[in-house]
Amino acid sequence: MKPGSGTLVIDISGEKAEAYEGTYQCTAHNEHGTAVSNNIVIRQSRSPLWSKERNEAIVLQAGVSLVLQCRPPAGLPPPVIFWMDNIFQKLPLNERVSQALNGDLYFSNVLPADTRNDYICYARFPHTQTIQQKQPISVTVLDSSPTEERLPGFLAPLGPSSTQMVLRGEVLELECIAEGLPTPEISWLKEGGELPSNRMSLHNFQKTLKIADVMEDDSGDYRCTAKNRLGSAIHVIKVTVKAAPFWISAPRNLILAPNETGILTCRVSGDPKPKISWSINGVPIDNAPQDPSRKVEEDTVILSNVQTGSSAVYQCNASNEFGYLMANAFVNVLAEPPRVLTPSNNVYQVITNNPALLDCASFGSPIPLITWYKDSQTSIKNSDPYVIHENGTLEIHVAQPLNSGKYTCIATNNLGVKENDVYLEVKEPTRILKQPEYKVVQRNSNAVFECKVKHDPSLMPTMTWLKNSGELPDDERFVVDTDSLTIKDVTDEDEGTYTCMMNTTLDHDSASAMLTVVEATPTPAIVDEEPDPPTDLELTDQRERSVQLTWVPGDEHNSPTQNFLIQYEDLLHQPGVWVNMTEVSGASTTAHLDLSPFVYYSFRVLAFNSVGYSQPSQPSPQYRTNPAAPDENPSNVQAAGTEPTNLIISWMPLKGLQSNGPGLQYNVQWRQKDVEQEWFAEIVTNSSKYIVSGVPTFMPFEVKVQALNDYGSGPEPEVVLGYSGEDLPLSAPESVQVMVHNSTLAEVHWEPVPSSTVRGKLQGYKVFYQRQRSLNEPEEQEAKEEQQVLIFSGNRSEGRLPGLQPYSIYNLIIKVLNSKGEGPPTTNNNFKTPEGVPERPSFLKVINHNMDSLTLEWGPPLNNNGRLTGYTLKYQPVNNTNELGPVDVMTFAANESSITLINLKSSTLYKFNLNAQTIKGFGPSITEEAFTILDTTNIQPTVEAEKGKKKKPPHPTSPITQSMPPPFHKVRPIGPAFGTVNTSVAEDGAVISWEYYGHHKSVFVEYIVENSKEEWKKELVNGSHSHMIKGLKPGTSYRVRVVARDQADSAVHSTKELLVTVPAVASRQVDIATQGWFIGLMCAIALLILVLLIVCFIKRNKGGKYPVKEKEDAHQDPEIQPMKEDDGTFGEYRSMESDTEDHKPLKGSRTPSNGTVRRDESDDSLVDYGEGGDGQFNEDGSFIGQYSGKKEKDTHEGNESSEAPSPVNAMNSFI
C-alpha cells in the first residue's frame, strides 16, 4: 500500500505473475461507515505457441474459391492477425482477396497469379510484444481448362441466414464474404429501417459493416447482398442487442438533519433486467442490524426520522449475466447551522450587457435556504432580470450600471442565519471609437494609424499593436503613442495588416487596417467624382415573393462607394415612377428583395460616394409577381356617431402595393356589444367609411373591417369598439347645495345624474354663477355682472367657486355636459358671501402744503366688501439719511374723507399710509408722500429742471414696514386647486392672473412658443396672483400655464394651457432725432460753438473792463427767486416698497441725488461758462471772487458738495 493513499502496488519481479491472478476489491472505513470499490480482475497476459502442424500443398483449378485458415492459438488478449510472405511483405488485399475477422484469408476466385508457396499467417500478441507465425502454405493454380462464370455464393457466413448478439455500447461487426466469378460486389441494408449513417462505417472492401456505440434500436435483420452480372445472393444476419446494467439514476450522497426523511434511489436498466441488491457499510442489508427507520423497496431505500449517529455508507449493486454496477452513497446525519463558504466582500466585475454571477456557496444541515438582498434593502425575487440557482448563485442575465452595488446573501435553516456581502461593479465596455484606416503610402514616407479608444475609467487598458497577427518588428521606426502607431520611412517590408488591440482585465476590442507601399512618384492631384453607374443587372433565385438582384459596380473615381440605392418601377400601376426600395453597403454587389404580389417590377441601382449619387443603371429585366389575397387589413379602424341615430365606421384604406391583386373591396361588419345578435356586413368599394343608420343613441358597437380582392380575403381583422352618436342630456342635477367657506370661496354640491340620461360621453358638469349685487346696495339697484362659468370634468358631485366678491348675492345653475352639448339647467340657487376686508381707498392726495401742516383728502374704496367701519391713517417723517421717524396713528369714521395735520416739522418729508376697515379687518393701504413748506429764512437757490425730464429723488428711502392685518389663509380645496385664469397682452408681454387654493408655495408661470419642441421657460411668482411675462416676441403665439410644484420640482397642480398671441408691432416712422448720424452732427456743432465762445471770452478779459453790476442785474441769484408750488419745489423721492403707490415720485423735490444744484437752462451769458453768476473781477479783469462757486448748505443735506472747477475758471485764475 502506498502511504497516505488506497493504492495497492504489486511487485511481481520476484515471483510468477500467475500467483497474483484473481479479483480484488478496495474497502475504505472510518467512524461514519464503510465504502467499497468495484471488483478489479487481474489476469496474466499470455502468448502461447502455435501448435505444430504440416500444411499440405493446395492445387486447384483457376476460377474456383479458396479459404486459407489461420486459426492462431488463443491469447490474452487475442492476437492481431495478418498475412505476409517469406520476405515479410504484406499480401495485397482487394475485392477478390480479403482477410476475415477471424484471420482466415478468402479468395472469391483464384487466378494463376495467386500461385505461390509462402502464404504465411502471423499472430502478434500486443502485451508480450511477440509475433508467431504459422507454417507456410503452398498454393498452385492450374489454368489447363477454360474457367466458367458462376453465380455468387457465400463463403462466410454460410447458409441463407445467421444470428449475432452484441452488447449495448459496444461495436457491432457484421461480415459477408462471397465467392463467384466475376467477383461479386457486396451491399448492405437493414430490413424495416435505415442504417445509422452517423455511427456506421464499411470496411474490407464493403465486406464488413461496423456500427459503433450500439443501441437497442440497432437490433433487427441486416441483409447482405452479393451481386455479379450473372445474379445475386442474399444472406440475412439477425442481430440481437443485449445490455449489461447501466445507470439511469445512481444513488447520491445525502446530508440529513435529525428527524428528516431521505430517499436513496438506484435506478438501472439492462437486458436481461438487472437484479438490485443493497449493502450497508459493505454488509448485505439483510445481514445488517435491523433499523425501523430504514425501509427497502427494490431500487429504493427510504430513511425516515433519522437520528444523530445513524450515518452510514450504502452500496447499490445491479447485475445481470453480462456485468454489474456498484455505487456508494454516503448518508450523513448532521445538525449544522448555516455557513457561507463564499469569501465575504468579494468584488465581482462585469462589462455592461454581460451576465453577472454572484456566488453564495453554503453548507448546513438542514440545507440552508438562500435569499438575496440588494443594498441591504430590496429583496430580490427569482424573476427577470434575476435568477437564483439551486446552489445559491445569483445570476443577472444582462447586467446594467444600475445593477451595481452591494448584494447580501442570507443562508437560513432552523439552527441559525448567516449573512455574506458581495459587491458588483458593472463597467462600461471597451470600444475603439476611431479605427485604423486602410493606408496607401509612398516608399520612404510616414504612415500613421489612429486607434482612439473609450473604456471604463476604473479599468486600466493596455494597447498592443500587431503586424500580421504577430509582434511589431523591433525597429525604432515603429513609434507607438497613446492612440496611434507611426511607421517612419516606410519600406516595402512594412506592408501588411496592422491590428490595434485594447485589453482590460474584463474585456477587449480590436480593429485592423492594411498598409500598402507604392513607388515614390509625384502625386497627381486627386479629383473625387461621383461613381459610374452599376452595370449588368441580373435577377436570380426568382421566387413568388422575393428575388435576388446582382450587379457589377462602376468606377469609384477615387472616392469609395459607401452604399447602393435600389429603386423599382411598377409598370402596371405607376409606370415611369421610380420608388426607393432599399439600400445596401458599398461592399455588396447583391441584394435580396422582398416583393409584393400583382406588381410588374423593373429595378435599377445607383451608387453613392462622398461626392454624391451616380446616374441610375440601366433597368433590369421585368419581373412579374402573381396576384394574391391581401396580406393585411385596413388600419386605424374607428367607429363613432355624428348624429343620435347613426354610427360612422371609418378606416385607412390600403395603398398601392398593399392590395395584392385586382378588385380591392372592404367587408365592413358591425354588431351591438353585449347583445345576442349576428354580425351585420356590407361590402364597400372605393370608400374609406360606411354610415350605419337607425341605431340606438350612444350604444357600444363592435366593428371590424376586412380587405378582400378577386383572389381572396385578408387575415381575420381585429375587433374595434366604438359608440353610436350622442344626444343632449335629458336631466339636470338634483339636490344642489352651496356651502360658503369664506368671503371669496364657496363650494357647490349636487347629485350626479343617472348615466342613462347623459346620452353620450360624460364630459362633466358646467356651473354658471353670476353676481347679482352687493349687499350694500338696495335690491332695486340690482345690476347683474357678467356670468362666470366653471366646468368640472368627469363624474363629479362637487366643485369650488373661487374668486367671489365678498358681501354679495350670487345666482347659480348647473348643467350636465356631454360631447354633444349641455343638458337642461337646474333651478336657480341664490347664495350670499360674508363680509371681507375692503379694497384700498380709491385715492389719497395731499393739499394745502404749509410750513407745519398738511391737508389730506381720500376717497372710499371702490368695493367696500362689507359695511365700512372707518379708516386708519399712519404717518411718519423721513429724515435726510433716509431713516423713518416715529409713527403716528389716527382713526376716522367711515363718513370722513379729509384731515388737516398740524404741528408738523417744516421742510420735512412725510410718508402716509391709509387703510379702510370693515368688521373683517383692514384692507390694503394706499401710500402717499409729501413735504411741508420750507422755512423762507433758509431757502437755498433753486434751478428749474429741464422740462420733460424726470427728477431723481434726494435719497432712496429704505422700505417702510407696515403693521398689516394677518393675511387670509386659503385652505386646500376639494375641487381644482386653480380657479379662473385670465390673460391680457401688450406689445412686449402678457399679464397672467389666477386664483390658487393649494398649499404649495412654489408657483411658476411657464410658457413656450406654440408648436415649439424647446423646454418650457419658468418664472417664479410666489405670493402673487398675477404676473407679467416680459420680452415676448410680437406677432408670436405662446402656450402659457400656471404650475404649482413641490420641493422635488414635480408638478402638483396645474392650470390648463392657454394660447396667448402677442400683437404684431406696426412699422414706425423713423425719428431723425434718434439717428446716430444726426446726434453726432449736433455734438460737433455744439463743440465748435463752445470753442469759439471760450476764445471770445479770453479776448474780452484781456481787452477791457467788465461791468460786474450789469452782470449781477442780468443774472439774479436763482436761489432767492420765489418758489413755485406747482412746479415741484423738492426733488423726487421714491419708496423701496413694492406697492404701486409707493413708486410715485415725491412732490416738491428740487435737489439732485448728489446734493448739488445744477442749472439746466442757459441764459447764454458769460456767467454760464464759469462756475457761477457771482464771479467778481477787478477793473483790469483780474479774478476777485467766485460767483456761486460753492453751494450753500441745503436744508435737507447737512453736508457740503462742490463741483469741480471748469476750464474757464482755471484760465481766469491763471490770468
Side-chain angles (χ1 to χ4, degrees):
M1 294 280 289
K2 278 191 176 180
S5 75
T7 302
L8 176 63
V9 179
I10 301 175
D11 184 6
I12 61 173
S13 59
E15 298 185 40
K16 292 184 177 181
E18 293 89 337
Y20 295 98
E21 286 188 335
T23 301
Y24 292 78
Q25 190 174 43
C26 171
T27 301
H29 176 77
N30 66 9
E31 59 182 294
H32 298 292
T34 300
V36 296
S37 71
N38 286 319
N39 290 338
I40 302 171
V41 178
I42 296 180
R43 295 184 63 186
Q44 181 186 5
S45 175
R46 292 179 172 84
S47 55
L49 297 175
W50 221 302
S51 60
K52 292 184 177 181
E53 60 180 3
R54 183 175 181 180
N55 295 324
E56 294 185 2
I58 300 173
V59 179
L60 70 168
Q61 190 68 34
V64 301
S65 62
L66 173 65
V67 178
L68 300 181
Q69 295 180 343
C70 181
R71 296 181 183 178
L76 189 67
V80 178
I81 305 300
F82 49 91
W83 288 81
M84 293 193 297
D85 58 17
N86 55 11
I87 60 173
F88 301 103
Q89 296 296 316
K90 279 190 175 183
L91 298 178
L93 302 177
N94 49 42
E95 290 86 351
R96 186 178 60 84
V97 181
S98 59
Q99 179 181 314
L101 294 175
N102 63 358
D104 293 347
L105 189 63
Y106 285 81
F107 294 80
S108 296
N109 51 77
V110 294
L111 299 175
D114 295 327
T115 299
R116 64 191 309 157
N117 59 4
D118 56 353
Y119 285 94
I120 304 173
C121 178
Y122 288 87
R124 180 170 62 85
F125 297 90
H127 281 198
T128 61
Q129 298 297 316
T130 59
I131 298 177
Q132 298 187 32
Q133 71 177 54
K134 189 175 181 176
Q135 291 296 323
I137 301 174
S138 174
V139 175
T140 303
V141 179
L142 303 177
D143 194 16
S144 58
S145 61
T147 57
E148 294 184 1
E149 294 183 350
R150 63 183 182 279
L151 289 169
F154 286 99
L155 298 175
L158 299 174
S161 65
S162 60
T163 61
Q164 189 166 335
M165 188 273 292
V166 65
L167 291 181
R168 179 181 181 271
E170 294 184 352
V171 178
L172 172 63
E173 292 183 316
L174 303 179
E175 185 178 54
C176 273
I177 299 177
E179 59 88 17
L181 188 65
T183 303
E185 294 180 356
I186 304 296
S187 62
W188 294 88
L189 62 83
K190 183 180 180 183
E191 295 182 354
E194 294 183 357
L195 294 174
S197 58
N198 58 333
R199 296 182 289 115
M200 177 205 77
S201 60
L202 294 173
H203 303 269
N204 197 16
F205 308 101
Q206 297 192 358
K207 298 174 185 179
T208 303
L209 170 66
K210 288 186 178 182
I211 298 177
D213 194 17
V214 170
M215 300 184 296
E216 288 82 354
D217 293 343
D218 293 328
S219 62
D221 295 342
Y222 290 80
R223 180 186 297 175
C224 166
T225 302
K227 184 178 181 181
N228 64 13
R229 61 172 172 260
L230 299 181
S232 62
I234 295 175
H235 183 88
V236 176
I237 305 175
K238 298 181 181 295
V239 175
T240 303
V241 178
K242 300 292 184 178
F246 59 91
W247 289 116
I248 296 176
S249 174
R252 301 173 62 182
N253 295 337
L254 292 179
I255 299 177
L256 301 177
N259 300 318
E260 280 191 334
T261 296
I263 298 176
L264 294 174
T265 58
C266 181
R267 294 182 181 171
V268 296
S269 184
D271 188 8
K273 181 180 179 181
K275 179 182 177 182
I276 295 177
S277 61
W278 289 91
S279 299
I280 180 170
N281 294 328
V283 178
I285 204 163
D286 295 335
N287 300 334
Q290 293 293 323
D291 186 349
S293 67
R294 182 175 65 232
K295 182 179 180 182
V296 179
E297 296 180 352
E298 293 185 358
D299 61 353
T300 303
V301 175
I302 302 174
L303 305 173
S304 304
N305 196 25
V306 297
Q307 299 299 318
T308 304
S310 58
S311 299
V313 180
Y314 288 79
Q315 289 85 31
C316 168
N317 187 303
S319 61
N320 64 12
E321 60 185 281
F322 300 111
Y324 82 100
L325 293 173
M326 200 274 291
N328 292 282
F330 178 42
V331 178
N332 189 5
V333 181
L334 181 66
E336 187 76 19
R339 285 184 291 160
V340 177
L341 306 180
T342 301
S344 61
N345 298 318
N346 260 7
V347 178
Y348 296 88
Q349 295 181 333
V350 297
I351 296 297
T352 301
N353 295 326
N354 285 341
L357 295 172
L358 309 184
D359 294 329
C360 183
S362 63
F363 178 79
S365 182
I367 297 175
L369 174 67
I370 303 299
T371 55
W372 283 89
Y373 288 83
K374 185 176 187 299
D375 297 328
S376 303
Q377 297 176 352
T378 306
S379 176
I380 295 176
K381 304 299 182 183
N382 198 356
S383 60
D384 192 54
Y386 299 103
V387 173
I388 301 177
H389 294 279
E390 289 185 6
N391 63 356
T393 298
L394 175 65
E395 180 177 2
I396 305 174
H397 288 307
V398 183
Q400 299 296 323
L402 57 86
N403 297 131
S404 297
K406 182 177 78 171
Y407 288 80
T408 303
C409 156
I410 301 178
T412 309
N413 67 10
N414 56 8
L415 299 179
V417 177
K418 187 67 176 179
E419 294 187 4
N420 189 53
D421 294 333
V422 296
Y423 296 86
L424 175 63
E425 297 177 356
V426 182
K427 306 293 187 179
E428 290 295 322
T430 302
R431 292 291 179 266
I432 295 179
L433 301 180
K434 183 173 179 57
Q435 300 184 356
E437 297 178 348
Y438 172 70
K439 298 286 184 182
V440 178
V441 298
Q442 296 181 356
R443 190 180 297 113
N444 299 324
S445 62
N446 294 342
V448 179
F449 291 106
E450 289 187 286
C451 184
K452 295 185 178 179
V453 182
K454 175 181 177 293
H455 62 88
D456 192 282
S458 64
L459 299 177
M460 296 302 295
T462 302
M463 179 177 285
T464 305
W465 285 91
L466 305 176
K467 178 186 177 183
N468 296 331
S469 301
E471 294 184 357
L472 288 178
D474 186 11
D475 191 333
E476 62 183 10
R477 295 184 301 108
F478 291 80
V479 180
V480 177
D481 290 329
T482 305
D483 53 7
S484 66
L485 167 66
T486 302
I487 307 173
K488 299 179 179 179
D489 299 328
V490 171
T491 65
D492 293 337
E493 289 75 19
D494 296 331
E495 280 194 339
T497 300
Y498 290 84
T499 302
C500 162
M501 293 189 64
M502 178 61 67
N503 294 285
T504 67
T505 55
L506 297 181
D507 67 341
H508 69 278
D509 197 10
S510 64
S512 301
M514 288 189 62
L515 173 64
T516 301
V517 180
V518 296
E519 184 69 30
T521 57
T523 304
I526 298 177
V527 178
D528 294 344
E529 297 179 3
E530 61 188 23
D532 289 342
T535 59
D536 299 334
L537 271 64
E538 183 179 358
L539 298 176
T540 59
D541 193 19
Q542 299 180 4
R543 301 189 180 184
E544 191 71 22
R545 294 289 187 98
S546 67
V547 70
Q548 191 87 4
L549 176 65
T550 62
W551 63 88
V552 175
D555 193 337
E556 295 181 336
H557 293 296
N558 303 318
S559 177
T561 301
Q562 299 175 9
N563 54 59
F564 291 99
L565 173 64
I566 298 154
Q567 298 178 329
Y568 74 90
E569 177 189 18
D570 184 358
L571 298 171
L572 179 63
H573 301 99
Q574 290 181 305
V577 178
W578 288 93
V579 181
N580 292 345
M581 190 171 192
T582 186
E583 286 188 358
V584 297
S585 70
S588 299
T589 58
T590 64
H592 180 81
L593 306 178
D594 293 324
L595 308 179
S596 297
F598 196 49
V599 179
Y600 294 177
Y601 283 102
S602 183
F603 304 99
R604 69 182 187 185
V605 183
L606 293 83
F608 177 79
N609 63 9
S610 59
V611 179
Y613 279 102
S614 69
Q615 292 296 316
S617 68
Q618 291 297 317
S620 71
Q622 189 181 118
Y623 186 73
R624 299 185 179 187
T625 55
N626 296 322
D631 293 327
E632 55 187 308
N633 290 313
S635 59
N636 195 28
V637 177
Q638 297 180 351
T642 57
E643 298 296 333
T645 60
N646 77 2
L647 176 70
I648 299 179
I649 303 172
S650 61
W651 59 90
M652 183 70 69
L654 299 183
K655 298 180 181 178
L657 304 182
Q658 295 176 315
S659 64
N660 284 7
L664 179 64
Q665 295 177 316
Y666 301 100
N667 183 15
V668 182
Q669 303 176 64
W670 71 93
R671 69 179 178 186
Q672 189 172 336
K673 192 174 185 297
D674 300 327
V675 175
E676 291 294 334
Q677 61 180 202
E678 296 295 326
W679 288 90
F680 296 95
E682 188 72 27
I683 301 298
V684 178
T685 305
N686 297 328
S687 180
S688 61
K689 70 177 181 179
Y690 179 75
I691 301 176
V692 182
S693 302
V695 295
T697 301
F698 198 66
M699 287 297 173
F701 280 82
E702 294 176 327
V703 300
K704 55 186 180 180
V705 181
Q706 184 179 32
L708 59 127
N709 62 18
D710 295 344
Y711 289 83
S713 301
E716 181 63 26
E718 294 183 0
V719 176
V720 177
L721 184 65
Y723 284 83
S724 56
E726 301 184 37
D727 204 348
L728 295 176
L730 289 174
S731 61
E734 298 180 353
S735 304
V736 178
Q737 295 182 346
V738 180
M739 300 188 316
V740 180
H741 288 292
N742 53 49
S743 60
T744 61
L745 177 66
E747 186 173 332
V748 58
H749 292 256
W750 62 86
E751 188 73 28
V753 299
S755 58
S756 60
T757 66
V758 177
R759 300 205 297 178
K761 185 177 181 180
L762 179 64
Q763 300 293 324
Y765 290 86
K766 201 169 185 179
V767 178
F768 301 82
Y769 59 101
Q770 185 179 36
R771 183 171 181 261
Q772 304 294 311
R773 62 180 176 86
S774 171
L775 288 174
N776 286 322
E777 302 170 355
E779 294 185 12
E780 58 272 11
Q781 293 186 3
E782 182 173 309
K784 294 183 180 180
E785 297 182 359
E786 183 180 354
Q787 191 178 52
Q788 295 178 277
V789 180
L790 284 178
I791 297 177
F792 298 96
S793 302
N795 193 18
R796 298 279 295 275
S797 62
E798 81 284 330
R800 292 198 169 191
L801 309 179
L804 302 178
Q805 189 72 29
Y807 205 53
S808 302
I809 295 179
Y810 279 85
N811 174 266
L812 175 143
I813 62 172
I814 306 176
K815 296 180 181 180
V816 183
L817 184 66
N818 66 14
S819 301
K820 189 72 173 178
E822 303 169 5
T826 61
T827 56
N828 285 336
N829 288 269
N830 293 328
F831 64 93
K832 299 177 181 179
T833 55
E835 293 189 53
V837 297
E839 295 182 359
R840 67 181 185 178
S842 57
F843 68 88
L844 172 63
K845 61 183 179 180
V846 181
I847 60 175
N848 297 334
H849 295 258
N850 293 303
M851 287 185 6
D852 59 353
S853 66
L854 293 170
T855 300
L856 276 68
E857 288 186 353
W858 62 86
L862 296 179
N863 288 303
N864 291 343
N865 293 342
R867 290 163 292 196
L868 205 62
T869 59
Y871 298 93
T872 297
L873 174 67
K874 297 179 182 180
Y875 64 95
Q876 56 192 136
V878 182
N879 64 16
N880 293 336
T881 60
N882 304 325
E883 295 176 349
L884 299 172
V887 179
D888 289 315
V889 181
M890 300 180 68
T891 58
F892 308 99
N895 58 356
E896 295 187 57
S897 61
S898 65
I899 181 65
T900 299
L901 303 177
I902 60 175
N903 297 326
L904 304 177
K905 296 179 182 180
S906 64
S907 187
T908 302
L909 172 67
Y910 281 87
K911 183 170 184 177
F912 304 96
N913 288 285
L914 181 67
N915 305 72
Q917 183 180 11
T918 65
I919 61 174
K920 288 294 185 179
F922 294 95
S925 63
I926 186 172
T927 303
E928 186 58 274
E929 296 169 341
F931 276 100
T932 53
I933 293 178
L934 298 177
D935 190 344
T936 56
T937 61
N938 295 322
I939 290 177
Q940 297 296 320
T942 64
V943 179
E944 283 191 10
E946 230 181 82
K947 292 182 181 180
K949 292 188 177 179
K950 296 183 179 179
K951 301 176 182 178
K952 296 183 180 178
H955 307 286
T957 62
S958 60
I960 301 174
T961 304
Q962 304 182 31
S963 175
M964 299 295 293
F968 180 80
H969 293 284
K970 300 177 181 180
V971 298
R972 186 183 180 93
I974 298 177
F978 281 99
T980 304
V981 181
N982 297 315
T983 63
S984 61
V985 294
E987 290 183 354
D988 60 343
V991 177
I992 314 298
S993 59
W994 64 90
E995 288 290 338
Y996 178 57
Y997 307 100
H999 66 279
H1000 294 85
K1001 295 183 178 180
S1002 297
V1003 179
F1004 297 84
V1005 171
E1006 302 181 358
Y1007 59 96
I1008 188 175
V1009 175
E1010 185 184 15
N1011 299 325
S1012 171
K1013 296 183 179 179
E1014 297 179 355
E1015 294 186 358
W1016 288 77
K1017 298 179 180 178
K1018 298 191 291 187
E1019 297 185 4
L1020 185 63
V1021 292
N1022 288 350
S1024 174
H1025 288 272
S1026 65
H1027 179 70
M1028 181 173 184
I1029 307 174
K1030 297 182 179 179
L1032 300 183
K1033 187 176 180 181
T1036 305
S1037 295
Y1038 292 84
R1039 289 156 52 205
V1040 182
R1041 66 187 182 193
V1042 186
V1043 181
R1045 297 183 179 273
D1046 57 16
Q1047 294 180 350
D1049 201 35
S1050 298
V1052 180
H1053 302 124
S1054 176
T1055 66
K1056 292 184 178 179
E1057 295 180 10
L1058 302 175
L1059 188 62
V1060 176
T1061 301
V1062 181
V1065 180
S1067 59
R1068 295 182 174 88
Q1069 196 170 7
V1070 177
D1071 186 359
I1072 192 173
T1074 63
Q1075 299 301 301
W1077 63 269
F1078 181 77
I1079 295 173
L1081 179 61
M1082 293 298 102
C1083 291
I1085 295 173
L1087 181 62
L1088 181 60
I1089 295 173
L1090 179 62
V1091 172
L1092 293 175
L1093 290 174
I1094 292 173
V1095 172
C1096 293
F1097 179 75
I1098 294 173
K1099 288 184 177 181
R1100 182 174 179 181
N1101 285 342
K1102 288 183 178 180
K1105 307 289 185 177
Y1106 184 81
V1108 176
K1109 179 63 177 173
E1110 291 178 10
K1111 175 177 178 297
E1112 291 178 350
D1113 292 341
H1115 300 280
Q1116 298 183 4
D1117 190 344
E1119 293 190 305
I1120 62 174
Q1121 294 178 4
M1123 292 182 297
K1124 298 178 182 180
E1125 294 183 359
D1126 58 349
D1127 62 355
T1129 58
F1130 292 94
E1132 293 181 352
Y1133 175 84
R1134 287 189 183 273
S1135 169
M1136 301 283 291
E1137 295 187 20
S1138 61
D1139 192 281
T1140 307
E1141 293 295 329
D1142 291 351
H1143 289 283
K1144 293 173 62 178
L1146 182 64
K1147 293 182 180 179
S1149 173
R1150 65 188 178 95
T1151 308
S1153 59
N1154 61 3
T1156 64
V1157 178
R1158 295 183 180 274
R1159 289 180 58 120
D1160 294 321
E1161 294 184 0
S1162 174
D1163 293 331
D1164 197 21
S1165 69
L1166 188 60
V1167 177
D1168 294 331
Y1169 300 99
E1171 286 189 64
D1174 288 339
Q1176 304 274 333
F1177 295 86
N1178 286 329
E1179 291 291 323
D1180 59 358
S1182 62
F1183 178 75
I1184 62 173
Q1186 184 179 0
Y1187 181 84
S1188 189
K1190 199 170 193 178
K1191 303 299 177 184
E1192 294 294 333
K1193 194 171 185 179
D1194 190 88
T1195 57
H1196 298 294
E1197 292 177 359
N1199 62 345
E1200 292 185 354
S1201 64
S1202 61
E1203 294 182 349
S1206 70
V1208 177
N1209 285 335
M1211 181 65 72
N1212 290 341
S1213 299
F1214 178 78
I1215 295 172

